[in-house]
């Protein structure tokens, strides 16, 4: 176990995206995943209303705030997050109805142009249980997106390939006119994570 942790630390400190994030002031290497997808799919634009679910430590919020001048950014996470200028952050459990109600109150009836979810469960080490919790988070995020997006809005969600992945993808295809799979270069090659991008709500 100690050897595995040492190998992880070595990989982390030598990771070019970690070094780039440190040099450019981003809180995590995940910033480059969003930037790469945005470069391809043009998700971020001036004046957009954006929701970031699972926002801590805040690197996606940093990207959104910099690329959506004049926009409004609302973020939620169970973990604390240092403030990001221009971001309205709420700390709380996404599965707590009281927290969700407060988050919706802050939206004040606005429809989002983009809902982002980079949520992942705390890893227990039991693969089947971790995958089930991950899919449950995705489903919850999808439900939020369907209820709060503009008709032509977009939903970007991190999903781990495995049990339940194809079922969730089909669920997204029932909700959106187009669903695309994205695997940014900044995502580690051995990781089972991919991003699904839903575009234009059905009905």
């Amino acid at each position: 176990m100690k050897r595995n942790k040492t190998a992880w630390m070595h990989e982390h400190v030598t990771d070019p995206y970690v070094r780039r994030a440190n040099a450019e002031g981003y809180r995590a290497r995940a910033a480059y995943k969003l930037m790469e997808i945005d470069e391809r799919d043009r998700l971020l634009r001036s004046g957009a209303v954006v929701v970031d679910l699972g926002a801590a430590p805040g690197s996606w919020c940093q990207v959104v705030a910099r690329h959506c001048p004049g926009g409004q950014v609302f973020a939620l996470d169970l973990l604390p997050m240092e403030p990001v200028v221009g971001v309205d952050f709420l700390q709380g459990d996404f599965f707590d109805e009281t927290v969700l109600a407060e988050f919706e109150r802050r939206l004040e009836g606005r429809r989002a142009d983009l809902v982002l979810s980079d949520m992942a469960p705390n890893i227990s080490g039991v693969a089947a249980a971790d995958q089930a919790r991950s899919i449950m988070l995705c489903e919850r995020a999808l439900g939020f997106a369907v209820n709060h997006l503009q008709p032509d809005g977009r939903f970007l969600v991190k999903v781990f390939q495995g049990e339940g992945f194809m079922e969730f993808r089909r669920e997204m295809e029932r909700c959106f006119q187009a669903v695309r799979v994205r695997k940014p270069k900044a995502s580690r090659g051995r990781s089972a994570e991919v991003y699904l991008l839903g575009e234009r709500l059905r009905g």
Side-chain angles (χ1 to χ4, degrees):
M1 185 71 179
K2 183 177 180 181
R3 186 166 60 250
N4 289 342
K5 185 175 181 180
T6 301
W8 180 89
M9 282 299 300
H10 175 75
E11 180 184 47
H12 183 74
V13 299
T14 58
D15 186 306
Y17 289 104
V18 172
R19 291 181 169 182
R20 185 176 168 190
N22 290 336
E24 297 180 358
Y26 289 106
R27 297 176 184 178
R29 67 193 302 284
Y32 301 101
K33 301 177 188 178
L34 179 56
M35 282 190 276
E36 185 178 333
I37 296 171
D38 176 56
E39 186 175 342
R40 178 171 182 174
D41 294 292
R42 298 289 183 251
L43 301 179
L44 306 176
R45 58 179 177 77
S46 299
V49 176
V50 181
V51 171
D52 185 0
L53 304 173
S59 61
W60 277 24
C61 285
Q62 290 177 297
V63 173
V64 174
R66 293 178 185 182
H67 288 77
C68 297
Q72 295 172 300
V73 187
F74 300 88
L76 176 69
D77 202 293
L78 183 62
L79 300 174
M81 186 180 89
E82 289 295 319
V84 175
V85 175
V87 176
D88 184 349
F89 173 69
L90 175 65
Q91 183 181 353
D93 186 346
F94 190 42
F95 286 88
D96 185 324
E97 293 299 332
T98 303
V99 171
L100 186 57
E102 168 59 20
F103 193 60
E104 291 173 332
R105 186 193 67 77
R106 295 187 181 196
L107 289 172
E108 296 181 333
R110 300 176 186 87
R111 289 281 174 179
D113 299 293
L114 176 65
V115 172
L116 304 169
S117 175
D118 200 34
M119 291 190 291
N122 291 326
I123 301 301
S124 69
V126 180
D130 291 338
Q131 178 67 9
R133 279 194 288 268
S134 174
I135 294 295
M136 186 169 61
L137 286 171
C138 294
E139 291 173 342
R140 181 77 164 182
L142 174 60
F144 180 92
V146 168
N147 288 328
H148 294 89
L149 276 173
Q150 300 273 14
D152 63 348
R154 300 159 102 184
F155 171 53
L156 181 69
V157 57
K158 177 167 67 181
V159 191
F160 291 95
Q161 297 177 83
E163 185 71 29
F165 172 80
M166 289 307 301
E167 290 83 353
F168 177 72
R169 180 173 177 174
R170 284 193 288 269
E171 189 175 347
M172 278 194 62
E173 288 169 346
R174 287 192 289 271
C175 296
F176 292 92
Q177 296 178 41
V179 175
R180 311 181 194 284
V181 180
R182 298 292 181 249
K183 177 76 171 179
K185 293 176 183 176
S187 181
R188 290 190 171 102
R190 70 174 183 280
S191 173
E193 73 176 21
V194 296
Y195 291 85
L196 294 180
L197 174 61
E199 300 180 305
R200 303 182 306 281
L201 288 169
R202 294 186 185 276

